[in-house]
């Protein structure tokens, strides 16, 4: 096992002003004999008692450096918690680490990372993987490494509720590989992140953060000093790249994983898996104590208010030489306090205060007892919540910057976005929780890709030191593929329809969701007519389809197939969803049904007719959008003959040309030759080595580069592509097929050629994986 990665810690992006400044008096007279000057200061906040455990495993030559990094983390943690435990190699045995981690709220580990997938032997129990590399025995140097994997944590460790684990400089934990090893694919990196978090989550952790390159000190500080989600803590670090994406955890299904690679194409060194809504106060118990709470007594450098009748100002703390007044209710700053034992009614209480109005004048001494202590703490920035990566490209997903800023009290605030020193947008207001909502455009034009700064300024009404800090966000104008899917094929069909068609469509086509034969030829007809293809059960209309039909209010409904596919009872029910007619188009078999759909839709002299096998769905579905775009029908043949009903329809249509879909294994060369008799033009074939290559060939022959959209569906099932084909035809884009977990080379080549403005994935992650959806982003135009 190679040593884990080691990198220089990077600066923190979100600086919180938590200290308070003691202001000296500008002009204070000498104190009288017997008087004491009160050297008032602000008490340090009470430390948390939540346990922080910092572990350095046996990491060979890297161990010394890791101990130094851990000491830096310890120095940060001890500022905030009185319960920080160090367990370092050469004494970091499992017994020592196990004892320390019980009941811990924050667990930091630096050392070897042994994850999966990896080049090492697979163990289904992950006995040595996804955990820690510790000392096999105590006191014997940094080279005696033993791996303690998932079962040790799941069975022997009980973290505190809502614990957070911080994994720093590990291999595999954030998706990365070992130094000198090949970089992982996206799929492998995602598996590593998901796997590495599983054991810690079983031990009670609710967020596992892996930071391969940078420092974790900022996250330790923010866990104890801010009020935000743990996901936003992760986002608000200096080395956030803005290439964030997320996926549902497979190993820990109740949770979600997020990754932020160095670039859109790789460098997997930042991840978090767990509950993204977990808040810092749930981890460390930091209470919400607003900074506008008045202290119990006057403080030097603090604020106060004068009584309604005003106060007299004096030139000396003995209050013997009056020299002015301050009106009732005015806010003042307290610049000095003096106690005169001879005049004090309560031992130790100040008798005189040197005060100054907020605008700087007047100033002087007055009786301390006449003043009421007020807010004497500077405002703090508690949180900046929201996504830090946006794409103002008009696709309706993360187009605008939408963040919520939370201050520790009511403030007058100013928030501005800048590029370099140029201000692009700003807003001002009063409150403690302003929202940033900006479309990321200047003069109507989306801002360029890159990293931008958000300046955050705030001041309270009592003259305390203002807050001035900043954070960053990233603009990426490439488009993440949209997924249209639902709980089943019916919900998916409804989702596709809802995303594509406005109410009042001219027609809605309805077919059985249990078979593809009748609907194959209906898909291009629906695309030509500008209406959706919805799926139903043979004997009832699913609730999601009923809801979509209600929304659509189609002018007419066409049922595809005979009563055995869609019953007469369903036909009668459909009458309630349109003010027009409900008709059925069907035939004795799939070939007759396709011919009947064509006859009901297309007039003679169509520009093209497509012919595909009726024995499979893949080629016909890939061809359906092309047929819908071209305004021609899709007819089916059994492969080696042309049925009489198809002959009759081709004779009626007299197409200008005919296109055969698929190789000779599905539609024979003999059929292609016979088709010459039904057109005065050409008969061509679009096919490939498999269904994916055929789909790519159909797209290449139909669509020019720069299409507005490309649809991607599973080539292993018909239902999602069936509903998506009319949408693709309506939108003027192809329907491409993938096996579900990868992008075939033929499809990748075609996507590169097409350079679509956006990509729509049809179906849930069970049919087209989340990995494929993420990889598809690389093929969209910018």
């Amino acid at each position: 096992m190679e040593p884990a990665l080691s990198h220089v810690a990077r600066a923190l992006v979100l600086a919180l002003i938590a200290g308070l400044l003691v202001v000296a008096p500008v002009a204070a007279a000498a104190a009288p004999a017997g008087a004491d000057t009160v050297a008032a200061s602000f008490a340090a906040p009470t430390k948390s008692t939540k346990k922080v455990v910092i572990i350095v495993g046996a990491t060979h030559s890297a161990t010394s450096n890791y101990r130094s990094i851990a000491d830096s983390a310890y120095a940060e943690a001890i500022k905030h918690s009185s319960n920080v435990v160090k367990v370092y190699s050469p004494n970091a045995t499992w017994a020592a680490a196990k004892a320390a981690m019980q009941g811990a709220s924050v667990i930091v580990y630096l050392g070897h990372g042994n994850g999966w997938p990896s080049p090492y032997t697979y163990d289904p129990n992950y006995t040595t993987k996804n955990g820690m590399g510790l000392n096999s025995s105590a006191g014997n140097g940094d080279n005696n490494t033993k791996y303690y994997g998932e079962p040790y944590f799941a069975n022997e460790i009980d973290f505190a509720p809502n614990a957070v684990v911080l994994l720093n400089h590990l291999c595999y934990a954030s998706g990365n590989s070992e130094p000198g090893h090949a970089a992982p694919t996206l799929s492998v990196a995602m598996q590593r992140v998901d796997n590495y978090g599983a054991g810690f989550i079983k031990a009670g952790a609710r967020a596992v953060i892996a930071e391969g390159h940078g420092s974790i000190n900022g996250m330790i500080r923010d866990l104890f000093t801010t009020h935000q989600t743990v996901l936003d803590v992760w986002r608000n670090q200096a080395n956030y790249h803005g290439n964030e994406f997320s996926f549902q955890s497979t190993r820990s299904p109740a949770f979600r994983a997020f990754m932020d690679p160095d670039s859109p194409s790789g460098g997997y060194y930042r991840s978090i898996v767990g509950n993204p809504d977990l808040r810092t106060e749930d981890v460390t118990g930091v209470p919400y104590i607003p900074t506008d709470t008045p202290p119990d007594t006057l403080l030097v450098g603090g604020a106060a208010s004068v009584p309604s009748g005003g106060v007299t100002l004096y030139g000396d703390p003995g209050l013997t030489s009056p020299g002015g007044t301050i009106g009732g209710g005015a806010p003042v700053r307290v610049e000095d306090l003096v106690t005169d034992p001879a005049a004090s009614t309560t031992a130790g209480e100040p008798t005189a205060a040197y005060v100054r109005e907020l605008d700087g004048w007047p100033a002087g001494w007055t009786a301390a007892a006449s003043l009421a202590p007020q807010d004497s703490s500077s405002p703090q920035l508690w949180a900046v919540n929201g996504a830090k990566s946006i794409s103002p490209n008009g696709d309706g997903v993360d187009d605008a910057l939408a963040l919520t800023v939370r201050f520790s009290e009511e403030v007058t605030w100013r928030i501005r976005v800048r590029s370099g020193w140029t201000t692009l947008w700003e807003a001002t207001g009063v409150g403690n929780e302003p929202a940033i909502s900006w479309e990321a455009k200047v003069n109507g034009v989306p801002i360029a890709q890159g990293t931008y700064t958000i300046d955050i300024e705030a001041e309270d009404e009592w003259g305390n030191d203002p807050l001035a800090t900043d954070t960053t966000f990233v603009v990426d104008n490439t488009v993440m593929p949209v997924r249209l899917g639902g709980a089943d094929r019916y919900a998916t069909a409804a989702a596709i329809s809802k995303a594509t068609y406005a109410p009042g469509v001219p027609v809605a086509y309805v077919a059985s969701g249990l078979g593809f034969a009748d609907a194959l030829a209906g898909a291009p007809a629906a695309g030509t007519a500008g209406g959706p293809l919805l799926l139903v059960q043979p004997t009832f209309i699913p609730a999601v389809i009923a809801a979509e039909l209600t929304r659509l209010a189609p002018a007419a409904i066409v049922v595809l197939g005979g009563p055995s596919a869609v019953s007469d009872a369903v036909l009668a029910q459909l009458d309630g969803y349109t003010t027009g007619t409900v008709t059925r188009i069907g035939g004795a078999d799939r070939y007759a049904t396709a011919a009947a759909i064509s006859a009901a839709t297309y007039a003679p002299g169509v520009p093209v007719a497509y012919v595909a096998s009726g024995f499979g769905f893949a080629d016909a579905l890939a061809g359906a959008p092309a047929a819908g775009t071209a305004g021609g029908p899709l007819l089916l043949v059994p492969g080696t003959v042309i049925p009489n009903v198809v002959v009759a329809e081709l004779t009626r249509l007299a197409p200008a040309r005919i296109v055969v879909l698929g190789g000779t294994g599905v539609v024979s060369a003999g059929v292609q030759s016979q088709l010459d008799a039904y057109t005065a033009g050409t008969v061509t074939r679009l096919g490939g080595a498999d269904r994916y290559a055929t789909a790519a060939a159909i797209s290449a022959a139909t669509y020019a580069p720069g299409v507005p959209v490309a649809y991607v569906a599973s080539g292993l099932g018909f239902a999602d592509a069936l509903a998506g084909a009319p949408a693709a035809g309506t939108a003027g884009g192809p329907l491409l097929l993938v096996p579900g977990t990868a992008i075939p080379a033929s499809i990748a080549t075609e996507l590169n050629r097409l350079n679509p403005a956006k990509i729509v994935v049809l179906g849930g992650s069970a049919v087209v994986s989340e990995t494929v959806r993420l990889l598809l982003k690389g093929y969209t135009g910018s």
Side-chain angles (χ1 to χ4, degrees), residues 346-709:
T346 304
E349 286 291 317
T351 53
Y354 190 90
V355 299
R356 184 181 300 276
E357 283 207 54
L358 294 188
D359 61 5
W361 196 261
W365 292 96
T366 193
S370 65
L371 303 175
Q374 298 295 344
D375 171 8
S376 297
S377 300
S378 295
Q380 297 177 3
L381 179 62
W382 272 353
V384 180
N385 294 327
K388 294 298 204 62
S389 179
I390 66 170
S391 54
N393 46 40
D395 69 338
V397 180
D398 292 329
D399 281 331
L401 182 67
L403 301 175
T404 300
V405 178
R406 189 165 191 183
F407 296 108
S408 57
E409 60 177 287
E410 191 96 349
V411 294
T412 299
W413 54 263
R414 178 190 184 211
I415 298 172
R416 64 187 180 121
V417 176
R418 59 182 170 86
S419 174
W421 296 109
T422 302
T423 297
L424 305 179
W425 174 88
E426 72 173 80
T428 58
V430 176
N432 69 334
E433 198 168 355
I436 297 174
S437 181
W438 180 45
E439 62 180 359
K441 295 179 180 178
V442 176
N443 296 324
V445 179
I447 60 177
Q449 293 190 166
T451 300
Y452 294 83
T453 301
I454 304 173
D455 289 329
I456 302 171
E457 302 169 2
E459 58 182 32
D460 61 24
E461 63 178 326
W462 292 99
N464 294 300
D465 289 333
L467 168 73
T469 187
D470 62 74
T471 185
T472 59
F473 74 97
V474 175
V475 173
D476 177 5
N477 282 325
T478 55
V479 184
M480 179 63 76
V482 174
R483 185 187 294 278
L484 297 178
D488 54 28
R489 61 191 59 189
Y490 308 102
T492 294
I496 294 168
S497 173
K498 187 174 182 179
T500 309
Y501 302 97
V505 289
V507 63
Y509 288 76
V510 173
S512 170
L514 302 184
F516 60 82
D518 297 331
L520 281 179
T528 298
L533 176 58
L534 299 171
L535 305 179
V536 297
Q537 290 275 3
T539 57
F540 69 91
I541 304 171
V544 288
I545 298 298
E548 179 57 11
L549 283 167
T550 300
R551 186 192 71 85
L552 285 170
I557 295 176
V558 176
V559 175
L560 304 177
S564 61
V566 179
S567 69
D568 288 334
V570 168
L571 194 76
Q573 293 172 37
L574 289 169
D575 194 55
Y577 298 99
T578 179
T579 57
T581 60
V582 178
T583 56
R584 183 193 295 277
I585 301 177
D589 54 27
R590 62 191 64 186
Y591 310 108
T593 295
I597 292 170
S598 172
T601 309
Y602 302 97
V606 290
V608 62
Y610 290 78
V611 175
S613 169
F615 287 147
F617 58 84
D619 298 337
L621 284 178
T629 298
L634 175 63
L635 298 169
L636 305 179
V637 297
T640 57
V641 297
I642 306 175
N644 290 335
V645 288
V646 175
V647 167
E649 179 57 13
L650 282 169
T651 301
R652 186 192 71 84
L653 285 169
R657 62 189 178 95
I658 294 174
V659 177
V660 176
L661 304 178
T664 55
V666 291
V667 178
S668 69
V671 166
Q672 182 177 351
S673 178
Q674 294 171 44
L675 289 170
D676 275 328
Y678 304 104
T679 179
T682 60
V683 178
T684 57
R685 183 186 295 272
L686 297 175
D690 54 28
R691 61 189 61 192
Y692 311 109
T694 293
I698 293 169
S699 173
T702 309
Y703 301 97
V707 291
V709 61

Side-chain angles (χ1 to χ4, degrees), residues 87-344:
V87 182
Y88 289 4
S89 175
N91 298 305
T93 61
W94 174 248
K98 172 183 172 181
M101 285 188 287
Q102 306 299 341
S105 293
V106 180
I107 302 90
V108 176
Y109 169 64
L110 297 99
H112 276 313
N114 186 12
W116 185 260
S118 74
Y120 307 102
T121 304
Y122 175 64
D123 169 12
N125 296 318
Y126 304 108
T127 306
T128 62
K129 295 177 176 64
N130 310 323
M132 296 180 179
L134 303 173
N135 297 107
S136 58
S137 59
N140 292 315
D142 299 323
N143 296 325
N144 61 336
T145 307
K146 181 176 180 180
Y147 293 103
Y148 295 86
E150 279 191 37
Y152 290 92
F153 288 87
N155 299 326
E156 300 183 35
I157 301 296
D158 188 12
F159 295 138
N162 300 316
V164 171
V165 176
L166 302 174
L167 306 174
N168 197 204
H169 296 291
L170 271 65
C171 299
Y172 299 104
S174 59
N176 57 320
S177 296
E178 297 177 47
H181 288 218
T185 63
L186 174 62
S187 176
V188 167
M190 290 166 65
Q191 291 177 66
R192 288 174 176 174
V193 169
D194 197 8
N195 284 329
Y196 222 109
F200 297 107
I201 287 173
K202 290 176 181 176
R206 286 301 169 261
V208 180
I209 298 174
E211 181 61 75
H213 282 323
S215 169
I216 44 88
N217 290 15
M219 285 186 275
I220 294 173
R221 181 204 62 207
D222 289 353
L223 285 171
F224 284 95
T225 62
T226 68
H227 296 278
Q228 57 186 319
T229 65
V230 173
L231 176 61
D232 283 316
V233 168
W234 177 78
R235 286 170 168 163
N236 283 329
Q237 302 309 300
N239 56 337
Y240 178 76
H241 304 295
N243 298 313
E244 178 185 328
F245 63 86
S246 68
F247 58 96
Q248 196 66 36
S249 171
T250 300
R251 295 293 314 284
S252 309
F255 301 112
R256 195 161 186 84
F258 295 76
M259 297 175 66
D260 175 35
D262 294 352
S263 72
S265 59
Y268 303 109
Y269 292 99
R270 301 195 75 240
S271 67
I272 176 172
V273 59
N275 176 8
D277 298 322
L278 178 69
R279 299 190 62 83
T280 53
E281 56 267 25
D282 298 327
V283 180
T284 57
V286 177
Y288 279 93
I289 302 177
T291 50
D292 59 358
T293 302
D296 294 331
T297 61
L298 296 175
L299 299 174
V300 172
S305 59
V306 302
S308 59
V311 295
T312 300
L313 296 178
Y314 296 86
D316 66 290
L319 310 180
T320 60
S321 304
T325 61
I326 295 179
V332 296
R333 301 296 300 180
V334 179
E335 297 185 355
D336 201 2
L337 292 169
V338 168
T339 298
D340 182 353
S344 178

